[in-house]
Every structure is written in structure tokens, then in C-alpha cells.
Amino acid sequence: MIQCLRLQTRLNPKETIKLILGLCFCISLNAQKLGTNFYTDFEILLEEVYQENLTTSSKIFKLEESFDQLHLENNDSLRLRNQFKIVNRLRYLEVDSLYDDYVEQIYKDAKKTKDTFNIIRSYNYKANQFERYQKIDSAFYYYNKSTSLLQFYNHYFIEIDALIGKAKLYFLISDYNKSLEYVFKSLKNAEINYLESSFFDCISIIIEIYGEVNQINLAEKYYNRGVNHFNKFDKKNKSSHQTQIAQIHNFMGSAYLKNSEYQKALDTYRKAKEIKKLEKKFPALATAVEDNIIYTRYLLGDKVNTVEELKIVLREKEKLNFPTIAIQTKIRLAEILNDLNRNKEAYKFAKEALEQAKELRVVKEQLITLKLLAEIDSSQAFKYLDEYIQLNDSIIAQERVQRDEFARIEFETEQLRRKKVTAELASERANQKLLNLMILGAVLLAIVSVVFGIYRRKLLKTQIEKKEKENELLLQKINTNKLLRNNKLNIQNRIANDLHDKVSTSINANILQLKNFKHIYKNEFSKNSLNDFERRLEGLSDAQKQARAISHQLKNAAITEQKLVQFITEELPLILDKHLVELNIDEKIKWEKLNENQLSTIYIILKELAVNIKVHALAKHVILNISLDKNQLVFSIFDNGKGFDSKLSKEGIGLKSIKERIKSINGTIVINSSEGKGTSVEFKFPIQ
């Protein structure tokens, strides 16, 4: 919509003529320097951008006019500083294309004039440009260049912007510890120096991170700090910060929502909605808040007109031409319609959300819609889940690569900084040597210094060569281990496939033939013969189960801690129907301490128990508790299914297999069950 307004403005003949006449008048008055009247009007315009006196198109036109007039200013530093102010207002108005053009112009002018202060500022704006277009490596490169140069200059507010930019990038790749490190570096200075925009950015990032990692108490702490900070302003100044307060409410509401504290989420979203003129000033934020309120009410059980209200919100979002915020509404509509068994409509919205998420490359929403589609369309569930797993694995790999890339950029920037420092120190030494040459005794000292320098360089070269050789050997060792591991896995998978496809299938065929034979000739056998026949059939069945168990064990030999956690939190609920499952996992558990055998054993046992509950128990509620008891990892599973008499029931091969597996990792297992009262299983084993 903003782009259309800009186009109309440029094509309006009257306004174009006014612009040309105005520029000619300014040039005729003073071709060397802009007068004080211009700067007075300019400062008024900068304030008017945040007010409602002018239309958006008029604001954009006046900013363009001022930017062009500033080219008449001979003072390069003054011109660039004021052009940066215009760029900030364009970012506020979300005029992306014009913002990009002006940033590029300022960047080139700053480099041309060799104005270090504005070069550093332009690095931040260039980084912001790349960040908006998801070019994360380039964004990080420019933020790092900015912070590197700032070590030699005292420009704290530019440094804060760069550090916050880095924090946002680390947040995007889920490196929350690194993100918090940069945020907390910025927060104190932003608050002390009344940099309200930077302070708001810091608080927002902190709330989002603590919401993501389920530390809701810390999120509340900084939420209250942010709201109290902006509420300290008097009425006149407070009104300009109302939108920031609304956004802080919205971030905190989302943190509550993520942690299933729905009533707190609803109350907080409503605080955002109560901000005056929010819908008029920031309609995109207003529709997002309304969406959150409707969805949270639904989660609390208020389901009246939910679908119709969300459809209205969706139409409003689509009018605003913000496709990224429309995706969330479509996902929520699909989820609710699926709950209401309106599967066709649910599938339509989920499919649209997935296609839009792929087009815009928003990966998080792609993962959500793929899981949702697997629930809605059971016939294609395996297809969507497989796509989900592949996408999730690729994201993890990409995040790892980007972390490595960030580390490389920081390392190389630090090396450049050290080179600069070294060069400056070398220059000082050279000057000192020149002065020392004027003294008779300095000649000998200079010779010794040269010899010592040569020795150090040779020594350093020898150390570097040694280190390179060590690194090369280490890399070869890693590659060799990787190759051996892959070969081992290939052999295991081939044996597993043969056991499943050949041995198990052959046994099954013989079982079926023998059962058929028994049915045909049962009258010709004596009772003892029939019993013997049954025992042999049972022996074949046990052999088949053992073959399958061995196959399954070989297939899952390479279970990692990430895959195990993902299986417990995502795949296991899908097997048991997620609405029936209650998961309680101790956050103190360090899964990386488990060895390969323990990981594989847990995976197989949990899967076997889940299948038994699903097929035999017919339970309506399942509770899985995973806790840490000193050095023991404890798994407790309870279902309210039909149960069995554990004293009378015969111990089958499945239960024997589970007990043997527990024993192999030095663990113990206890099973309690009675008919009609469900079954409880508890197994535990020691970890390092």
C-alpha cells in the first residue's frame, strides 16, 4: 500500500512542479550552504512523521524532498547525519525500497568522504538491510565490522545498535546464550543513556528468549522492567512510547502462551489491545494482538464464533499486505477446524499456510504446518512427517554452519584488529628507532632488535607449521572415524533388512502354512499331538519376534541424544495420540551423558511399550515421567487401560526382551498391573 502511495506521489504533476521550483529556489538562495530556516523546518518534519497530522504519502514526499535538498550542504558530516535521520523515519514508515536506496547512497558517500563516524553507522544500516532479506552471514559481517572499528572510537550508541543487531542474528539461529550475551552488554548503556528504541529492542529480545527456553519467571522480570521504564514518562512523552508498551505486552503474552499459561497470556494481550489508537497507528500490530486474543480464548474453552472471528482477522491481515503475519492465522484456523472435525476446511488453510511459508522461507511455520497436516490427513501422515524430519534436520545443520560462520567472521575481524594494533605499534617502534639513531649507543640496540625479530619469526613459523600438521592429522583421524562409522551402520542396516525381509518373512510364511495344515487335519491328530503342534507354532512365533527385535535393534543402533529427545517429545505422542499423553521431563537431565547403548535401549523400550499401550491396553490417558534421582535416570509410564493380572499372565518374548535390555545397561524394571486398573512400568539405570 505504501509503495502505491509513493508511486502516486511521484506521478502527481502539481507536486512534481512544486518540488522542482522549491529546489531551484533553494539553489538560487545559497548554492554553498543550507540556511537555518531549512533546518528548523526539517526538525519539525522529523517530529511530524511520528504524529497523525500528515498522511503517509505526504510524509514520504517531504522526506524525499529533504533528502535531495541536503545534497546542497557542504559540511559532509552534517549532511550525512541528517540523512541518517531521514532513513530512520523511512524505516519507521516501512518504506523498504526507498530505505534501501538511501542507505546505499549514504554508505557510498561516507566511504568517499572517509568520515569514520558515518562509515561505522552505515555498516549498521547495511547489516540491517541484509538482516531483513534473510542474508544472515552478510548482516553479521557488517555488524562485526562496525563493532571492530568502534574499539578505536567512543560512539556508545552506535555500538549498542551493532550489538543488538548481533543479538538478533544469534536469536535467529537459536544460539540463545550468545544472543543474551550481546543483549545484556547493550541493555544497561541503553537505559542509562535514554536510548529508548535500543532499550525496547533489548527487552523484547530478552522476553522472547526466556519464553523460548521456558524460563517464564525471568521473562516476567524483564517484562515488568520494560513496562515500568516506559510508564515513567509524563503524558506528553508517554504517548510516543505507547506502541512500544503494546509490543512488550504482546511479546510477554506470547511467552505465556508458549508455556501454556493461557489466562495470563489472555490478560497480557488485552493490556496491549487497551493501548489507545493502536489500530490506527499500527494496524499490523493491532491485528496480531486480536488474533492472539481470539486464539487464547479458544484454548481457555471459549469457542463461540472463534472460526468466524479469525477469518475476519485474516482478511484484515491480507488487506495490510503482510503475508508473514497472515500465515499464523491460517495455521490457527487449520488447528481449530481440525479439532472441530471440519477436516476439509482445516486441510485447505493448512495447505495454504504451508505454501505461503515455503514461498516466504519462514521455516518455523513450515514445520508447524507439516505436523498439522500429518494430523489432519492421516493417509498422507508419513509423507508430511518425513518432510518434517528432513526439514528439521536441515535447519539444525544450517544453524550449526551459521554458528561456525559467525565464529569465523569474529575471528577474522579480531585478526584484522590485531594487525592494525600491531601496525600502529610497529610504527611507534620505527619512530623510536629513528630517534635512537641520533644517539650513538642506539645502533647496537637496533641490531639486537632486528636479530631478535628474525628469531621470533622463525620460531613462530616453525610453531605454525607444526600446528598445521597436527590439524591435518586430526582431520584425517576424524574422516577415518566417520568412514568407519558409516561402514558399520551400512552393514548393520543390511543385516537388519535381511533379517526382516528374508528370515522374518520366511518364518511367517511357514507359520501360516502350518496353521492352515492344522485347520485341515485337526480331526486326525490326538490332543497331545495338537498341544505339541501348538508349542512348535509358538516357538516359530518367538523366533520371528526375536528376528524382528534384532532387526529393530540394528536399525536403531545410531540413536543420538537429539533424536531420542525428539522421539520422546514429538513421535511418541503421535503414536499414542498426543491428546491422551502427559509428558513430564526433568530439565536437569543431561542427555549428552548417555552412551550409545543406553540411548538405543531407551528408544527401543519406549517404542515397544507405546505400541503395547496403543494396541492392547486401549488406554484413554498415558503419563510419562522422566526424572533424575541422584545418579539414576528414572522412567515411569502409567496407562489407565484394561490392564492384566501380572501374577497369572505368562511372560512373553516382548517382556523378556525388555528385561534383558534393561539388564544390559545395569538397570532394573518393575511392572505392576491388574485387570481394569491399568498398568504402571518403572525402569531406571545409572548414568555418569
Side-chain angles (χ1 to χ4, degrees), residues 164-218:
I164 291 172
K166 281 185 172 183
K168 289 178 180 178
L169 295 178
Y170 276 113
F171 177 81
L172 288 175
I173 63 168
S174 304
D175 192 345
Y176 300 131
N177 288 332
K178 199 72 174 176
S179 181
L180 286 172
E181 176 186 336
Y182 285 113
V183 167
F184 286 125
K185 281 182 182 178
S186 311
L187 181 62
K188 186 176 180 180
N189 282 333
E191 191 170 18
I192 291 172
N193 295 290
Y194 301 100
L195 301 176
E196 307 307 334
S197 178
S198 299
F199 178 79
F200 164 76
D201 287 338
C202 291
I203 291 295
S204 302
I205 295 168
I206 291 169
I207 293 172
E208 281 195 272
I209 290 174
Y210 284 136
E212 285 290 329
V213 299
N214 301 324
Q215 295 187 14
I216 204 69
N217 291 336
L218 289 173

Side-chain angles (χ1 to χ4, degrees), residues 410-449:
E410 286 198 315
F411 173 78
E412 290 178 354
T413 307
E414 178 63 17
Q415 291 294 95
L416 290 173
R417 187 191 70 80
R418 288 181 179 179
K419 282 182 180 179
K420 186 172 181 179
V421 172
T422 304
E424 290 175 354
L425 291 172
S427 177
E428 290 177 8
R429 283 197 298 268
N431 291 334
Q432 189 61 46
K433 285 178 183 179
L434 184 62
L435 291 172
N436 290 339
L437 287 173
M438 300 172 66
I439 303 170
L440 293 175
V443 176
L444 181 60
L445 181 62
I447 293 171
V448 172
S449 298

Side-chain angles (χ1 to χ4, degrees), residues 376-392:
I376 296 169
D377 187 2
S378 57
S379 63
Q380 298 290 319
F382 286 108
K383 170 192 166 185
Y384 291 124
L385 289 174
D386 183 61
E387 188 176 348
Y388 171 91
I389 292 167
Q390 290 182 20
L391 179 60
N392 192 49

Side-chain angles (χ1 to χ4, degrees), residues 332-506:
R332 288 175 172 177
L333 276 166
E335 179 184 339
I336 293 168
L337 288 165
N338 184 46
D339 288 344
L340 298 173
N341 294 322
R342 292 161 64 177
N343 291 343
K344 286 186 178 179
E345 287 181 76
Y347 181 81
K348 172 180 170 291
F349 283 112
K351 197 69 177 174
E352 285 178 8
L354 179 60
E355 290 170 0
Q356 214 165 7
K358 286 181 177 178
E359 183 181 342
L360 297 171
R361 296 180 180 178
V362 281
V363 182
K364 184 178 179 181
E365 283 73 12
Q366 288 182 50
L367 292 171
I368 294 170
T369 48
L370 285 168
K371 285 183 72 174
L372 190 55
L373 282 165
E375 291 182 30
I376 296 169
D377 187 2
S378 57
S379 63
Q380 298 290 319
F382 286 108
K383 170 192 166 185
Y384 291 124
L385 289 174
D386 183 61
E387 188 176 348
Y388 171 91
I389 292 167
Q390 290 182 20
L391 179 60
N392 192 49
D393 288 346
S394 70
I395 293 166
I396 294 169
Q398 186 178 1
E399 288 176 351
R400 189 181 298 116
V401 169
Q402 286 177 330
R403 285 195 191 99
D404 293 341
E405 185 67 7
F406 285 5
R408 182 188 65 80
I409 292 170
E410 286 198 315
F411 173 78
E412 290 178 354
T413 307
E414 178 63 17
Q415 291 294 95
L416 290 173
R417 187 191 70 80
R418 288 181 179 179
K419 282 182 180 179
K420 186 172 181 179
V421 172
T422 304
E424 290 175 354
L425 291 172
S427 177
E428 290 177 8
R429 283 197 298 268
N431 291 334
Q432 189 61 46
K433 285 178 183 179
L434 184 62
L435 291 172
N436 290 339
L437 287 173
M438 300 172 66
I439 303 170
L440 293 175
V443 176
L444 181 60
L445 181 62
I447 293 171
V448 172
S449 298
V450 171
V451 172
F452 181 69
I454 293 169
Y455 168 75
R456 285 193 66 187
R457 281 195 296 272
K458 286 183 178 180
L459 181 62
L460 183 62
K461 185 178 178 181
T462 304
Q463 290 174 344
I464 290 170
E465 288 174 351
K466 183 180 178 182
K467 188 67 177 176
E468 286 177 348
K469 288 180 180 179
E470 289 175 355
N471 289 340
E472 187 178 350
L473 290 171
L474 181 61
L475 183 61
Q476 289 177 354
K477 185 177 179 180
I478 291 169
N479 290 334
T480 302
N481 289 338
K482 186 176 180 182
L483 182 62
L484 290 171
R485 181 176 175 81
N486 288 337
N487 288 337
K488 178 185 174 184
L489 289 175
N490 289 334
I491 293 168
Q492 287 178 338
N493 286 334
R494 188 170 67 249
I495 294 170
N497 288 334
D498 287 344
L499 278 171
H500 184 275
D501 298 339
K502 295 178 181 179
V503 177
S504 179
T505 304
S506 176

Side-chain angles (χ1 to χ4, degrees), residues 156-358:
Y156 62 87
F157 65 94
I158 303 178
E159 183 179 14
I160 289 170
D161 285 345
L163 292 173
I164 291 172
K166 281 185 172 183
K168 289 178 180 178
L169 295 178
Y170 276 113
F171 177 81
L172 288 175
I173 63 168
S174 304
D175 192 345
Y176 300 131
N177 288 332
K178 199 72 174 176
S179 181
L180 286 172
E181 176 186 336
Y182 285 113
V183 167
F184 286 125
K185 281 182 182 178
S186 311
L187 181 62
K188 186 176 180 180
N189 282 333
E191 191 170 18
I192 291 172
N193 295 290
Y194 301 100
L195 301 176
E196 307 307 334
S197 178
S198 299
F199 178 79
F200 164 76
D201 287 338
C202 291
I203 291 295
S204 302
I205 295 168
I206 291 169
I207 293 172
E208 281 195 272
I209 290 174
Y210 284 136
E212 285 290 329
V213 299
N214 301 324
Q215 295 187 14
I216 204 69
N217 291 336
L218 289 173
E220 287 175 332
K221 173 184 174 182
Y222 287 95
Y223 159 72
N224 291 326
R225 182 173 173 180
V227 172
N228 292 337
H229 176 86
F230 288 113
N231 279 332
K232 285 189 294 188
F233 294 96
D234 56 42
K235 277 191 175 181
K236 182 179 178 181
N237 292 321
K238 186 178 176 181
S239 62
S240 64
H241 297 297
Q242 289 299 297
T243 306
Q244 291 171 321
I245 295 174
Q247 290 184 76
I248 291 173
H249 287 321
N250 194 45
F251 283 127
M252 191 63 226
S254 298
Y256 282 132
L257 187 64
K258 183 172 180 60
N259 288 270
S260 303
E261 295 188 24
Y262 301 134
Q263 189 58 54
K264 285 186 178 180
L266 183 59
D267 294 340
T268 312
Y269 286 137
R270 282 174 172 162
K271 288 179 184 177
K273 188 178 180 180
E274 289 167 4
I275 300 296
K276 292 180 180 179
K277 299 181 180 179
L278 181 65
E279 188 171 355
K280 189 173 183 180
K281 289 183 178 179
F282 281 88
L285 176 59
T287 54
V289 170
E290 186 63 25
D291 186 337
N292 290 332
I293 289 172
I294 296 167
Y295 180 69
T296 309
R297 278 184 15 233
Y298 178 84
L299 294 174
L300 285 167
D302 183 4
K303 302 182 180 182
V304 179
N305 297 327
T306 302
V307 173
E308 289 70 25
E309 289 176 359
L310 280 177
K311 285 181 178 179
I312 292 170
V313 170
L314 178 60
R315 286 195 291 272
E316 290 299 319
K317 286 183 176 181
E318 289 174 340
K319 283 180 187 176
L320 293 169
N321 196 26
F322 283 107
T324 49
I325 63 173
I327 293 172
Q328 184 185 55
T329 309
K330 289 181 179 179
I331 291 171
R332 288 175 172 177
L333 276 166
E335 179 184 339
I336 293 168
L337 288 165
N338 184 46
D339 288 344
L340 298 173
N341 294 322
R342 292 161 64 177
N343 291 343
K344 286 186 178 179
E345 287 181 76
Y347 181 81
K348 172 180 170 291
F349 283 112
K351 197 69 177 174
E352 285 178 8
L354 179 60
E355 290 170 0
Q356 214 165 7
K358 286 181 177 178

